[in-house]
Structure formats: C-alpha cells, structure tokens
Amino acid sequence: MRDVGKDGEKDKGGESGGGGEAESSGPASSGPARRRALWIGAGAVVAAGAAALGASGELSHWWWRLPGNEKPRKPGAVDHRGAQWVAASPENYRRADRPADYEIDRVVVHVVQGSFATALSVFQDPEHEAAAHYVIRKDGHIAQTVRELDVAFHAGNRSYNERSVGIEHEGFVDRPESFTAAMYASSARLTAGICHRYGFPADREHIVGHVEVPGADHTDPGPHWDWDRYVGLVVRELWRLQARAGHPSPKGGAGEGRAAAPRGAGGGGTP
C-alpha cells in the first residue's frame, strides 16, 4: 500500500541564466556574437514566461490556502453518511480543497491484504506514507480515514491520487470468500455517492482497480473481485440517487445495470 508518488516529489527544472555573450561596440556587434546574444536572450525570456505559466498552474492548486478561501471543516465530519471517522496520520495524505483545486473523476478499488483493523492501524502510522479515503469491513461497515477534500496517498501515481477517491476492502486477493454480499453492497453505495457528488459516470473507465493505475506494482483487487456484479450494483444505486435528485438516469450509459470493461481492464489482470 506504500505510495511511491508522494506529493513532495516533483521535477524542478533549472532556469537558464542570463544573456550569454555581452554585446560589444563597433562592427563586431552585428556579427555572430550579437546574433548568439539575441538568441540566448530571447531563450531566457521564453524560459521565464514558461516558468511563470508553470507557477500560475501550481498557484491554481494552492489559492485556497490564502486566508478566507479554505472551506470550513468540522472535526470528525465524514463525507459518507454512517461512516466511522478514524483519522489517518497527516503524513499519509496531502491537505487540499478538492474538487476546487483538483477534479475528482475516479474511484480506485483496493484490497487490504489483511484485516479492517490492520488497515486502520497502518493508515494511522506516519511511517507508512500511504492511506486510502475509506476502509470497508466484511460486514459492510465503513470507516473514513481521509476527507474527500484531501489527496490520499493510495494509488502509487500522483495524478491518480489527485483525481481519485481510494476505497480499501478488508480481505485478501486470493480468497474469494473475502468479498461478501454485505461488502459489495456497502461499497457500491459509497461509490455511487462519490459518482453522484462529483458528476462522473459509473463505468469501468472511472471505477478502476489498483492494478489498473498506470505504474502501479499492485495486483488488487485480484481475480476474484466480481467487476460485473460490483459495477451493476453501483449503477443501480446511482439510479436511485439520481431519481431522488430529480434526474432521469445516471450520467453515462451503463445500460441495464452493467458496464462493459474497457479494453485491457477487468478481472484483476494487468492492463
């Protein structure tokens, strides 16, 4: 579960220095030395402009840290009704203000390779350097460890961390009995709520396994996770939520409660 794509690890490109060869007076100033100076000087201007644009892009993700911009937070609040709040160590996630700074358009499904209690314990350990937003027990009980506002270190890929909500499930990838009806139903309600909150489809492009995250070295949720069953349950729950909200159907075309897996996905195999 360790996330090697921790948020502080960022390429910091060096900036080009000044204008190279100084201009000289007299005829030589119109020769190759002058042209080189102009090219190098222009390059520095372009580099500075690119750096400014890059900084502007970064600032768009940090504006909420200015006084008065951050959303109010209530200690112990949860994003899914009925979830138990068990706070992860601050070392295992990055404080953010999603979706204002990062769009949320994915759910990543994980399996603990252990118990519910084990997952909560390691997510509270600052040395672990990883946590998911939620952990689901075999009986369907849900604990939330990181707010959806924040970027949890769960996917092993910085971009996916920033755009997704991670859900851990108690159990083991090689034990089909780990995945109970209560767990599937509870997880599907949770995922449908996330799809509804952030307006993305309940399909296999947007609901993925950890194994399908680019660069991931994990195999969860494994070959015994029933994707057709799970996505079908999510779609039905999303229909209910949309109906209550006065919308005729969920966003996306999942058909009769099922969604086809995209090419290379499904069954827990490597994409």
Side-chain angles (χ1 to χ4, degrees):
M1 290 184 282
R2 181 184 176 90
D3 182 351
V4 295
K6 203 172 175 184
D7 91 281
E9 297 170 1
K10 212 169 42 164
D11 288 334
K12 295 180 178 141
E15 293 183 5
S16 299
E21 301 176 45
E23 276 188 58
S24 60
S25 60
S29 66
S30 61
R34 177 178 170 83
R35 286 197 295 272
R36 279 197 299 275
L38 290 173
W39 277 108
I40 295 169
V45 171
V46 171
L53 285 173
S56 174
E58 274 301 302
L59 285 173
S60 71
H61 297 312
W62 298 99
W63 65 270
W64 59 270
R65 290 195 173 191
L66 296 173
N69 285 334
E70 185 176 13
K71 292 186 182 78
R73 298 190 184 212
K74 182 179 178 181
V78 294
D79 298 297
H80 181 75
R81 182 181 295 178
Q84 172 192 4
W85 176 250
V86 183
S89 166
E91 296 299 314
N92 297 334
Y93 67 91
R94 182 185 355 136
R95 196 169 172 91
D97 196 39
R98 302 188 310 168
D101 48 2
Y102 299 102
E103 180 184 7
I104 297 174
D105 66 357
R106 293 288 189 279
V107 168
V108 179
V109 175
H110 302 262
V111 173
V112 175
Q113 286 301 97
S115 69
F116 177 82
T118 296
L120 296 183
S121 176
V122 297
F123 291 171
Q124 291 176 311
D125 178 2
E127 298 298 319
H128 185 63
E129 297 185 340
H133 294 88
Y134 295 97
V135 185
I136 302 182
R137 205 164 58 196
K138 288 182 182 180
D139 63 1
H141 178 72
I142 298 174
Q144 183 168 3
T145 64
V146 178
R147 289 293 307 273
E148 290 175 12
L149 287 164
D150 297 327
V151 175
F153 304 151
H154 67 97
N157 176 306
R158 178 172 177 170
S159 174
Y160 269 69
N161 285 344
E162 290 170 343
R163 72 191 301 181
S164 69
V165 174
I167 305 176
E168 286 279 2
H169 298 80
E170 180 179 35
F172 298 85
V173 297
D174 58 346
R175 300 181 191 175
E177 67 273 16
S178 293
F179 311 129
T180 65
M183 175 183 283
Y184 275 123
S186 180
S187 182
R189 284 192 292 273
L190 171 59
T191 294
I194 294 165
C195 293
H196 184 64
R197 271 193 290 285
Y198 303 109
F200 62 88
D203 59 26
R204 285 286 283 116
E205 180 182 350
H206 297 85
I207 305 171
V208 302
H210 195 177
V211 67
E212 295 164 321
V213 174
D217 59 356
H218 289 244
T219 62
D220 54 320
H224 300 297
W225 182 262
D226 190 338
W227 279 110
D228 283 342
R229 176 183 182 181
Y230 183 64
V231 176
L233 288 169
V234 175
V235 169
R236 283 191 285 276
E237 290 294 336
L238 186 52
W239 270 91
R240 293 190 185 102
L241 289 172
Q242 297 282 38
R244 287 185 204 134
H247 300 296
S249 64
K251 184 177 179 181
E256 298 298 321
R258 294 170 68 85
R263 184 170 56 191
T270 303

